[in-house]
Amino acid sequence: MKRNIVIAAVTAAALIGGGTATALAVSGDSEGTAQRAADMKVTGAQAQDDDRDDVDGQDDDRDNGRDDRNDDSTAAGSAKVTAADAIAAALKHTPGTAVSADYDDQDGDDRGPAAWEVDVLGSGSTWHSVRIDPANGKVLGSHTEREDDTAEVRAALKGSSVTAEEAAKAAAGKGTVTSVDLDDDGRDKGWDVETHAAGKGEQDWTVDLTTGKVTADTADDADDSNDD
């Protein structure tokens, strides 16, 4: 029977007066070698499939992020305090300009229970992050911080007549509002609002800073469909 010889280099211990190396010859029949080659080929194919399914963990991260958003949306729908209510409560506690409000479902997180997180721009460049209880509207806590984009935010809001609270109320007819954020990039500035409605999932809207008109954010919708 025809046999194939596989040579594996083995380094021996150095001897006094000079080192030597020997080679170990291992023989195996062609059928065993062919089977090992086939197994390696299958393993390689499976690895390629895994890589396509999860390139550097990106697919898993995207799925996990989508699951987190869905969890937040579901929890926000059952909250007694709406986004608009949370913003009003935060401003009553910390006067200023509300720039964003996001529902954060922190169930099982060490940072604390679920809450609305409202960012308020105070005097100068001081920002306040205020946490509101979604069950009763009470303030759970707050802290101050500094942000680099204060000038951009003030410029975007200059001349605007629609507040974050009003934007949340305007988009509430589209579903449960789960977040309100100021978009201060580019020429088309406005309030970015996310809603969740039964049978429609999560949707993105833009609320005009001066008229309060609500329009679908098709750019974000297209990005979401590309992710899928």
Side-chain angles (χ1 to χ4, degrees):
M1 180 179 291
K2 196 172 181 181
R3 293 178 177 274
N4 294 323
I5 305 298
V6 179
I7 305 298
V10 179
T11 303
L15 301 177
I16 299 175
T20 61
T22 63
L24 174 64
V26 181
S27 65
D29 57 48
S30 58
E31 293 178 356
T33 304
Q35 182 61 48
R36 287 193 296 273
D39 292 342
M40 292 174 63
K41 183 176 182 181
V42 171
T43 303
Q46 290 174 341
Q48 290 176 355
D49 288 341
D50 290 342
D51 289 343
R52 281 195 294 268
D53 291 338
D54 185 13
V55 179
D56 295 333
Q58 290 179 359
D59 286 349
D60 285 345
D61 291 343
R62 191 157 50 234
D63 291 340
N64 290 337
R66 190 177 298 113
D67 289 341
D68 289 342
R69 289 195 299 272
N70 289 338
D71 289 343
D72 286 353
S73 298
T74 301
S78 61
K80 295 181 180 180
V81 176
T82 66
D85 293 336
I87 293 171
L91 291 176
K92 184 177 180 180
H93 176 270
T94 306
T97 303
V99 178
S100 71
D102 295 274
Y103 188 86
D104 190 4
D105 183 4
Q106 295 184 328
D107 186 20
D109 196 300
D110 292 337
R111 290 180 299 169
W116 284 103
E117 292 190 350
V118 183
D119 288 334
V120 178
L121 175 57
S123 59
S125 58
T126 302
W127 289 77
H128 305 269
S129 180
V130 186
R131 293 175 56 78
I132 303 297
D133 193 317
N136 52 33
K138 292 183 178 181
V139 176
L140 296 174
S142 65
H143 66 272
T144 60
E145 52 191 23
R146 298 279 181 173
E147 297 290 345
D148 296 332
D149 60 345
T150 302
E152 291 83 350
V153 169
R154 291 195 184 281
L157 291 173
K158 185 177 181 179
S160 65
S161 56
V162 178
T163 64
E165 180 182 354
E166 292 169 338
K169 290 179 178 179
K174 306 296 184 180
T176 300
V177 176
T178 57
S179 73
V180 180
D181 293 284
L182 176 67
D183 180 5
D184 58 357
D185 296 328
R187 293 185 303 175
D188 299 327
K189 298 176 177 60
W191 294 106
D192 286 340
V193 183
E194 288 184 357
T195 63
H196 189 273
K200 295 183 179 180
E202 189 175 277
Q203 294 178 292
D204 298 298
W205 309 90
T206 297
V207 179
D208 191 276
L209 288 172
T210 55
T211 66
K213 182 180 179 180
V214 181
T215 57
D217 191 337
T218 55
D220 281 353
D221 291 341
D223 290 341
D224 289 341
S225 63
N226 289 335
D227 287 344
D228 295 339

